[in-house]
Amino acid sequence: MNLKKVIVPVFICILIPLAVHAKDHDDNAGKHMVLNLTGSGDMYESKVPDIDGDGVEDNAMCFDVHVVNAKNNQIVGRGTDCLSKVTPTGTGVALVGTTYFHLPAGTLITRGKTSVQPVLQPTTTPRGLTVTHITGAASDQNSVIGGTGRFADASGKVRLSGMVSMANFAGNVGDPMVFDCLFVIDLD
């Protein structure tokens, strides 16, 4: 039996699926992002794109913080987290969060219906932030509401799992809120 006639087909059977998998991986590059909104931001009032369908921009409390790539812990841009329609519910609040990720390739704007609850256990993040509240939002629908640059026509799903310190926040302009919020973004 000729060894070349056996080895060459075996290598082809192994290498073709690997090459196809590598191509699939490259096609998805940049479509799955895990971004960390982190840092302290002082509240300011602003407007966000229409939330309730009346065609008018809505009022929001906004905060500017860093955007960190969770994979390598490097600052990759800045973020603006804007909170609207804040409604007390039980021990927490429900709100609509509109988040702007200002990145080198463009700006991605996401929106989610967010729940905010006080922590039930004393909680300190790995970065040393003692948090007062846990936040979360997710949807199986498109959560991207706009963008520029490479995100101009983007759509996708977004999950927020976050922690904040509202220890020095009373709801007034200039009051600080400290963020450590992870956004898992899967673009279509």
Side-chain angles (χ1 to χ4, degrees):
M1 175 187 271
N2 185 341
L3 196 53
K4 280 186 181 178
K5 289 182 181 180
V6 173
I7 291 176
V8 170
V10 168
F11 276 126
I12 289 174
C13 289
I14 292 171
L15 293 177
I16 287 177
L18 289 176
V20 169
H21 176 72
K23 181 184 181 333
D24 288 345
H25 179 72
D26 290 344
D27 289 346
N28 289 325
K31 291 188 175 188
H32 177 79
M33 299 181 290
V34 180
L35 301 174
N36 189 193
L37 238 57
T38 185
S40 180
D42 294 338
M43 192 272 272
Y44 61 94
E45 296 173 338
S46 190
K47 299 279 189 180
V48 294
D50 181 32
I51 295 170
D52 50 18
D54 64 2
V56 177
E57 291 183 323
D58 290 287
N59 294 325
M61 297 182 291
C62 297
F63 306 84
D64 295 328
V65 294
H66 295 294
V67 175
V68 174
N69 179 338
K71 183 176 181 178
N72 61 17
N73 208 31
Q74 297 295 308
I75 295 173
V76 294
R78 65 181 178 82
T80 301
D81 203 27
C82 293
L83 315 176
S84 304
K85 308 289 183 188
V86 177
T87 307
T89 56
T91 60
V93 296
L95 59 87
V96 176
T98 304
T99 306
Y100 300 77
F101 297 93
H102 306 286
L103 305 169
T107 296
L108 177 67
I109 308 167
T110 68
R111 177 168 286 155
K113 294 179 180 177
T114 305
S115 298
V116 181
Q117 291 287 339
V119 295
L120 300 176
Q121 302 275 357
T123 305
T124 303
T125 70
R127 295 176 194 261
L129 169 65
T130 299
V131 300
T132 61
H133 291 76
I134 303 294
T135 66
S139 174
D140 61 354
Q141 304 296 312
N142 179 39
S143 299
V144 176
I145 64 164
T148 65
R150 84 166 262 238
F151 306 111
D153 296 315
S155 63
K157 296 174 182 69
V158 180
R159 173 186 170 177
L160 157 65
S161 297
M163 296 180 276
V164 296
S165 174
M166 295 173 45
N168 297 310
F169 182 74
N172 302 309
V173 171
D175 286 353
M177 189 179 300
V178 185
F179 293 79
D180 193 346
C181 298
L182 287 174
F183 286 78
V184 179
I185 303 168
D186 288 307
L187 299 176
D188 296 330

